[in-house]
Amino acid sequence: MAEISYKRHRFPAAVIRQAVWLYFRFTLSLRDVEEMLSHRGIEVSYETVRMWTIKFGPLIAANLRRRRSHPTGRWHLDEMVCKIGSRRMWLWRAVDDEGEVLDILVQKRRNKH
């Protein structure tokens, strides 16, 4: 697993990880994350949170993907119709027995065979 270096940053690694986690885990804006951190007594600008998400977000996501367990051999296929841009599309998802999405496919027409 790649070690993430937080050197030359004003804030401790725990604060940076928390801010990046809040932004990506929940549908929060950068200003919402800034406000949540300020309620905890951490004064940081939304621009700083934006720079952290750009710099550390992909690295943290890659580490999480590597740490995730391998999918099991049991899976099922979900099928549904959805509208994308006012057009009917068919959506298929391969989901393993733990609920992890393995693959997604969107097509214009349904292949009945």
Side-chain angles (χ1 to χ4, degrees):
M1 193 169 344
E3 185 66 30
I4 300 173
S5 174
Y6 296 98
K7 289 182 180 177
R8 297 188 348 235
H9 287 278
R10 178 178 162 207
F11 292 93
V15 172
I16 296 172
R17 279 194 300 265
Q18 181 73 17
V20 173
W21 178 77
L22 283 170
Y23 180 75
F24 285 115
R25 175 62 179 93
F26 305 103
T27 54
L28 299 175
S29 68
L30 296 169
R31 293 186 193 268
D32 290 338
V33 174
E34 174 191 9
E35 187 175 319
M36 290 179 79
L37 291 175
S38 68
H39 282 294
R40 296 179 182 176
I42 302 168
E43 291 299 321
V44 62
S45 70
Y46 76 93
E47 184 64 24
T48 303
V49 175
R50 186 182 76 84
M51 294 304 291
W52 288 345
T53 57
I54 290 171
K55 183 175 182 179
F56 298 113
L59 298 172
I60 292 172
N63 284 343
L64 288 174
R65 274 194 298 277
R66 261 189 238 106
R67 213 177 334 161
R68 185 172 50 188
S69 63
H70 293 289
T72 60
R74 295 176 46 192
W75 58 277
H76 67 277
L77 190 65
D78 287 341
E79 175 187 23
M80 68 178 286
V81 178
C82 58
K83 284 198 172 195
I84 301 174
S86 72
R87 297 179 63 189
R88 274 179 59 146
M89 304 289 273
W90 291 91
L91 171 73
W92 286 278
R93 295 184 318 156
V95 182
D96 71 352
D97 60 346
E98 295 178 358
E100 290 287 327
V101 177
L102 303 173
D103 199 10
I104 297 175
L105 176 66
V106 178
Q107 290 182 334
K108 294 178 185 177
R109 295 195 296 178
R110 182 178 182 205
N111 186 356
K112 295 181 183 178
H113 300 293

